Amino acid sequence: MVKDNEERILIALHKDLAKPKFEAVLSEVDIVINELYYAIDNLSSWLKPEYVSKNLATKLDDCFVQRQPLGVVLIIGPWNYPLQLLLIPLVAAIAAGNCVLIKPSEVSAATDSLIAELIPKYLSQDCYAVVHGGAEETKALLQNRFDHIFYTGSQTVARSIMQAASIHLTPVTLELGGKCPCIIYGKIDITAAARRIAWAKFFNAGQSCVAPDYVLCSPANRDALLPELRKVLENFYGKDPQTCPDFSRIVSPRHWTRLMELLGKSSGKVVLGGESSQEDKYIAPTVLVDVAEDDALMQEEIFGPILPILTIESLEKGIELINRKEKPLALYAFSDESSVVNTVLQNTSSGGFCSNDGIIHMTLPSLPFGGVGASGWGSYHGRWGFEAFSHRRAVMLRGWALERLNGLRYPPYSEDKLSWLRWTHLLGSRYSSRKACSSRLHLRPH
């Protein structure tokens, strides 16, 4: 479906977000195809029974974990990556054997319509269906019982989904977002850092849940970073980014207005960009300095091409600021010093972590992608997505051997029976532990 209709997909994405072909191919088309190949290549191994360690009482039994489909699942996609963030969960749900109800975002209307047209042509309509509509239709949809709900989007909508799911005790996976910090400290290749930060922030006009939301750095690093950012942005998008075909647009007038209101409320100083056009839904790549922790831009996820820079006195102060906020979906540490990177890594919590780059960690299907706390529940990509849509069934297959030993557990009870059972359980646990430890030692490299 994706390969046959790539050109139509690119046209739809350009209608919705003015996505450049380059960005759309990388972040919407190829990432989905790579996920498909990864699942196809690994599915047979994911489906194999996972045998577990046993104690003395179960030594003759077959004990393993079996993966089963959850049943009928609902996937609700967002508008910022309307193909990728709908189809990658769909790949996982299909791999795990589920039937799926798919709800694209009505905000990205062109992609929504295309998905609704294509899915029935390529997938069985008995097992997979697309539902159109906005908030009211989604609300009505959530009144039905599902075996799992997978949602990507805002925290506000996630709360409504959780409330609806709780009525049926339906488990949920929530892929949300938050304010992803980018901390720069110590010695650093400032030119390379500027390129990577600018690319990660202004890709898709900043409308990425894993985009750096704000930068923390020392005054010296800030003063070195700003001229490099100016050069990089001109190199990326030219002197007038509005005329550049490589820069996306804000998805809707409502989202454009929200961003401009945030920018207007900020007490920070605009040093790069700031230009905008309501008719074109355009906001230039914008950088602000002298931004305070209580600034309007620091109160909610920006989700646009606006980058505040805050100065910090020390690495410890930067970590303290990060930890005062909700746990982010991603955290970025830029430094040539491994001690700086490790200090940030060990003293913070986030859904994902990447040093000296941004966004790239989420493109590797062998790494789990998901949030923690307010930035999300659960993870997916690769096997992690397969597991999210699978029930891990505990299986023990027993025969009739050792029935005399089983007699210890039957009434009438006695102190002797209890003592023997406790002894065998303890001995069995120690046996399993020693066996597991021995196995690990045997596999340890010299």
Side-chain angles (χ1 to χ4, degrees):
M1 182 185 81
V2 174
K3 286 184 173 180
D4 291 353
N5 297 279
E6 179 174 317
E7 197 59 38
R8 295 186 67 193
I9 288 168
L10 297 178
I11 291 170
L13 292 168
H14 195 271
K15 284 182 180 178
D16 288 330
L17 292 140
K19 283 200 180 190
K21 177 181 176 179
F22 191 94
E23 290 188 4
V25 168
L26 284 182
S27 65
E28 301 271 18
V29 176
D30 283 4
I31 195 170
V32 172
I33 291 173
N34 290 341
E35 188 79 16
L36 281 159
Y37 281 133
Y38 191 84
I40 290 166
D41 290 345
N42 291 282
L43 184 55
S44 60
S45 64
W46 296 346
L47 285 167
K48 287 179 181 177
E50 180 185 340
Y51 287 90
V52 299
S53 60
K54 297 179 284 189
N55 55 28
L56 289 180
T58 58
K59 190 174 182 181
L60 300 181
D61 304 324
D62 285 333
C63 303
F64 57 89
V65 178
Q66 178 192 55
R67 268 68 179 181
Q68 288 188 321
L70 293 173
V72 178
V73 304
L74 171 64
I75 297 175
I76 304 175
W79 53 260
N80 59 326
Y81 292 92
L83 193 80
Q84 178 211 143
L85 297 180
L86 195 72
L87 294 194
I88 289 184
L90 180 59
V91 170
I94 293 173
N98 298 280
C99 292
V100 189
L101 204 60
I102 304 154
K103 172 59 180 70
S105 173
E106 74 284 1
V107 178
S108 48
T111 309
D112 177 7
S113 297
L114 184 60
I115 289 169
E117 176 194 334
L118 295 179
I119 291 287
K121 291 182 179 179
Y122 287 83
L123 298 178
S124 167
Q125 295 184 55
D126 292 333
C127 301
Y128 310 100
V130 182
V131 177
H132 271 304
E136 288 303 313
E137 287 77 10
T138 303
K139 187 177 179 181
L141 188 61
L142 289 168
Q143 293 176 9
N144 296 279
R145 180 170 186 167
F146 295 94
D147 296 293
H148 194 88
I149 296 173
F150 188 106
Y151 169 74
T152 303
S154 71
Q155 295 175 4
T156 301
V157 177
R159 293 185 179 94
S160 300
I161 287 172
M162 284 186 63
Q163 287 180 338
S166 68
I167 295 172
H168 302 293
L169 298 179
T170 301
V172 297
T173 298
L174 302 176
E175 296 299 335
L176 308 177
K179 299 190 70 64
C180 299
C182 175
I183 188 165
I184 302 172
Y185 202 81
K187 295 178 181 178
I188 187 169
D189 183 340
I190 202 69
T191 302
R195 282 196 296 264
R196 295 182 185 188
I197 292 169
W199 177 82
K201 176 60 184 179
F202 300 113
F203 191 96
N204 197 30
Q207 298 167 112
S208 305
C209 56
V210 289
D213 200 81
Y214 61 97
V215 170
L216 300 174
C217 60
S218 66
N221 278 337
R222 178 200 61 191
D223 294 342
L225 178 66
L226 287 175
E228 293 300 326
L229 280 175
R230 185 181 299 277
K231 293 176 189 175
V232 165
L233 290 176
E234 184 171 334
N235 183 255
F236 282 5
Y237 308 115
K239 292 185 179 295
D240 183 7
Q242 189 172 0
T243 62
C244 178
D246 297 331
F247 190 69
S248 300
R249 294 299 186 263
I250 307 306
V251 71
S252 72
R254 179 172 65 87
H255 290 82
W256 182 91
T257 300
R258 183 191 71 85
L259 287 167
M260 293 306 298
E261 287 176 351
L262 274 179
L263 192 56
K265 292 176 184 175
S266 174
S267 59
K269 177 184 176 183
V270 175
V271 291
L272 294 174
E275 300 83 11
S276 64
S277 167
Q278 185 172 13
E279 183 180 2
D280 194 22
K281 294 179 294 185
Y282 166 77
I283 299 175
T286 300
V287 178
L288 297 91
V289 296
D290 300 332
V291 177
E293 187 180 350
D294 59 356
D295 191 275
L297 290 171
M298 295 298 293
Q299 302 311 304
E300 60 182 86
E301 185 178 8
I302 295 171
F303 223 67
I306 302 169
L307 182 63
I309 297 179
L310 290 73
T311 54
I312 50 175
E313 299 173 10
S314 64
L315 183 62
E316 291 71 27
K317 291 293 183 182
I319 291 172
E320 287 174 11
L321 190 153
I322 291 169
N323 289 338
R324 281 196 293 271
K325 297 188 173 295
E326 295 283 6
K327 296 176 181 179
L329 182 59
L331 195 158
Y332 306 112
F334 281 73
S335 181
D336 291 345
E337 302 171 35
S338 59
S339 60
V340 170
V341 172
N342 287 327
T343 297
V344 178
L345 178 62
Q346 299 302 328
N347 291 280
T348 57
S349 177
S350 61
F353 181 94
C354 183
S355 69
N356 297 323
D357 214 334
I359 297 183
I360 293 297
H361 67 287
M362 69 160 292
T363 65
L364 186 63
S366 54
L367 281 175
F369 177 70
V372 57
S375 60
W377 293 2
S379 57
Y380 70 119
H381 285 194
R383 175 153 195 166
W384 305 93
F386 170 80
E387 295 287 359
F389 287 104
S390 297
H391 166 59
R392 290 179 285 279
R393 187 186 198 184
V395 179
M396 180 182 287
L397 303 180
R398 306 207 78 182
W400 300 105
L402 301 179
E403 183 59 18
R404 289 186 64 184
L405 180 61
N406 289 334
L408 292 173
R409 72 187 195 205
Y410 302 145
Y413 302 133
S414 69
E415 288 296 325
D416 283 345
K417 285 184 176 182
L418 183 60
S419 296
W420 274 104
L421 279 176
R422 296 181 77 177
W423 180 79
T424 56
H425 286 164
L426 180 62
L427 186 64
S429 298
R430 288 180 173 175
Y431 168 79
S432 298
S433 298
R434 283 199 301 271
K435 189 174 181 182
C437 184
S438 174
S439 175
R440 286 195 297 271
L441 288 171
H442 178 70
L443 294 171
R444 183 177 294 168
H446 294 292

